[in-house]
Amino acid sequence: MSLFFLAKRFVAGEEFEAAIPAIRRLNEKGIHVTVNRLGEHVKDQTAAKRAKQEYLAVLDHIKRARVDSNVSIKPTQIGMDIGDDFCYQTIAPVVAKAADYGNFIRLDMEGSPYTQRTLDLFYRLYENYQNVGVVLQAYLYRSVTDAEALNRVTARVRLCKGAYKEPASIAYQKMDDIRRAYLQLAKSLITDGHYPGIATHDDLLIEAVKRFVADQSISHDRFEFQMLYGIRPEAQEQLVQQGYHMRVYVPYGPEWLPYFYRRLRERKENVWFVLKNLFKK
Ligand code: FDA
């Protein structure tokens, strides 16, 4: 028996078609979506090329189903562990097709061994395609300089805290420090950047960003909030009702287990939610 029913609060389906109703439900609430086919650290060319074909098909599905969704891709899912050139050659046709369709591709950011390589991949793609964006992690000290460089070329950046275990030599460890860095970066991206995604479920940060844009009379159209599928859905709707743009990251795919474990590890309430569902079955 598939254990997928346990994960379905956080993962929209095992195939893209199964995720479409969830995307539609979000769209009907005025929420934009970015979809991600779960998977990472692909080691052979066949699997990376398969991921490319899947993303090409996803772009067709999005167009056909007329849902409001762009696409997020992890570089190691599409060949970064095989080689930087290979990765570029694999992802470029996906970005090109998205450009034809008026869609947008976001490169997710993985652990620090990939930071510079992902930024290099982004800049290389950005020379030819404007419909591509990248992610910065507030816990990394280097993100201040990276944000300045990305702002100079008006790149679209998603800002998150960072989900990987990084050493103190390169990353803040304490939540207070990470929050301070996050807020400083958010202000810089909103003021000097191009439609950043402020990705967090953290009320302290969300409220601070709301205060900042109100004080500076910055239009709500200059940025969007982003959250993960199934996490704080009521807060997602509330932000839309307050007139902010909101995008939800909707993962799907048969390789849902590592992502699901990450969500459980993050928060004990998530475990409780899953247990309740288990006993409801
Ligand atoms: P965090 O887990 O730090 O919690 C802080 C506070 O938020 C809590 O104390 C509570 O107040 C509130 N909160 C959180 N969850 C709640 C819940 N379920 N209910 C009620 N309150 C809650 N990382 C990465 O390294 N690379 C990437 O590309 C991305 N991409 C990405 C996209 C999007 C859209 C999001 C939202 C996040 C990412 N991340 C990511 C993950 C990110 O780096 C980070 O690990 C998580 O978002 C957790 O940090 P938060 O700031 O969201 O809340």
Side-chain angles (χ1 to χ4, degrees), residues 265-276:
R265 269 205 316 268
E266 246 166 36
R267 228 179 141 70
K268 63 178 185 316
E269 285 84 347
N270 291 344
V271 179
W272 176 235
F273 181 88
V274 169
L275 287 176
K276 273 198 304 197

Side-chain angles (χ1 to χ4, degrees), residues 109 137 158 160-164 175 200-202 232 267:
M109 190 57 87
Q137 295 155 322
R158 172 198 297 150
C160 64
K161 282 181 185 163
Y164 300 82
M175 187 54 92
T200 181
H201 310 94
D202 190 333
R232 307 201 66 196
R267 228 179 141 70

Side-chain angles (χ1 to χ4, degrees), residues 16-27:
F16 185 74
E17 287 81 348
I20 290 180
I23 299 171
R24 277 199 207 290
R25 278 195 296 278
L26 289 164
N27 287 170

